[in-house]
Amino acid sequence: MAKVTRTPLISGNWKMHHNHFEAISTVQKLAYLLNKDDYEVVDVSVHPPFTDLRSVQTVLEADEIPIALGAQHCHWEEKGAFTGEISPAFLAKLNVTYVITGHSERRELFGETDEMVNTKAKAILKWGMTPIICCGETLDEREAGGTDDKVAGQVRAALAGLKPEQVAGLVIAYEPIWAIGTGRTASAEDAQAVCALVRATVAEVAGAEAAASVRIQYGGSVKPSNAVELMAQPDIDGALVGGASLVADDFAGIVQYHAAG
Ligand code: 13P
């Protein structure tokens, strides 16, 4: 099998933070802090709330900032009577590159099911964008020894019906729910073990080549101080960052893990 180099992807999921003025200012600060050396070795994306997307797109494009625009969610239909929802076609029109699907907050708080995550992943791909598919276990599931079953099950369900070449281009984010926003991070060893399981599950459903190409992010209290160790793990190809991505200095510090030490 040909050796595949996976360019790391560091993504900032801003969740419901930063209005469009704050978003512009954060992106401008980030552009000031990051440089050519960073963009050469790391792909970077920011995922602001929907109401900020057009403003952030304009800044990124006008200033030729090589940060990819991302969204946090979308509907799977192109159009229709879905009050409050956002079409993947609208996101594609704004040059959105990555769309998160199946974030644990959407699963837990808004009833997003495995089936919906799969349907959304297909819609995101149909519109030429890349899904970032999230998976992860709760603290109870972890303590009961159920991490592997939960995560592998979510990955299998999310990938159902996708072609191996589509799977190869995906991003999967392993986010243990107990580590999100809590300041608790999975140890690099534990995170690596689950990310390896995610890759093995991808191999099982889509073949070894797709598994070698798919990018797997870790998410859950990633900070500049733990990014180096996490990113050194062989099956961790990036980070999905919440809290620390809201502050340009912290997010830049994470992206610059590659220059540390
Ligand atoms: P925190 O980095 O705040 O733990 O959030 C992780 C996350 O949910 C990113 O999607």
Side-chain angles (χ1 to χ4, degrees):
M1 193 175 58
K3 190 170 180 295
V4 180
T5 318
R6 299 184 295 265
T7 305
L9 172 65
I10 310 271
S11 305
N13 173 12
W14 293 354
K15 307 188 180 184
M16 202 169 75
H17 296 285
H18 286 345
N19 63 39
H20 68 291
F21 291 116
E22 294 160 337
I24 289 171
S25 136
T26 305
V27 163
Q28 283 170 333
K29 279 187 207 148
L30 204 51
Y32 174 77
L33 293 165
L34 297 178
N35 54 61
K36 205 164 105 314
D37 295 347
D38 300 317
Y39 300 123
E40 265 170 18
V41 293
V42 184
D43 290 342
V44 182
S45 66
V46 290
H47 299 246
F50 287 130
T51 49
D52 304 356
L53 283 174
R54 175 66 178 154
S55 309
V56 173
Q57 179 211 9
T58 306
V59 173
L60 293 178
E61 291 179 6
D63 296 349
E64 297 183 19
I65 302 167
I67 294 175
L69 186 59
Q72 302 174 15
H73 163 67
C74 67
H75 197 266
W76 51 87
E77 293 290 346
E78 180 188 349
K79 58 183 153 189
F82 303 104
T83 300
E85 284 294 330
I86 302 288
S87 161
F90 302 164
L91 299 180
K93 199 79 180 160
L94 291 167
N95 293 341
V96 163
T97 303
Y98 300 99
V99 186
I100 299 169
T101 176
H103 192 282
S104 59
E105 287 150 20
R106 297 232 39 110
R107 292 180 190 258
E108 276 185 15
L109 306 172
F110 303 102
E112 206 162 280
T113 62
D114 277 345
E115 198 186 357
M116 287 156 81
V117 174
N118 175 247
T119 309
K120 287 208 297 172
K122 287 175 179 157
I124 294 161
L125 285 164
K126 179 180 163 198
W127 287 96
M129 301 176 290
T130 299
I132 298 181
I133 296 170
C134 300
C135 57
E137 81 287 4
T138 62
L139 189 56
D140 284 352
E141 288 163 344
R142 184 177 193 84
E143 285 173 349
T147 300
D148 290 8
D149 281 351
K150 170 79 179 292
V151 170
Q154 285 180 325
V155 171
R156 280 192 205 102
L159 304 187
L162 295 183
K163 299 188 187 81
E165 58 272 27
Q166 290 178 309
V167 175
L170 292 179
V171 180
I172 301 179
Y174 166 56
E175 297 205 310
I177 296 167
W178 50 271
I180 296 177
T182 58
R184 288 183 63 186
T185 320
S187 69
E189 244 178 23
D190 284 355
Q192 159 58 24
V194 182
C195 289
L197 167 91
V198 169
R199 200 176 302 284
T201 307
V202 173
E204 179 195 299
V205 299
E209 252 180 72
S213 298
V214 75
R215 291 191 286 183
I216 302 174
Q217 296 177 314
Y218 167 79
S221 300
V222 178
K223 318 179 254 283
S225 58
N226 58 25
V228 176
E229 201 190 356
L230 287 162
M231 291 300 295
Q233 304 306 312
D235 286 299
I236 298 182
D237 309 314
L240 184 52
V241 186
S245 74
L246 297 171
V247 180
D249 282 292
D250 291 343
F251 192 51
I254 294 170
V255 172
Q256 288 165 340
Y257 79 89
H258 67 91

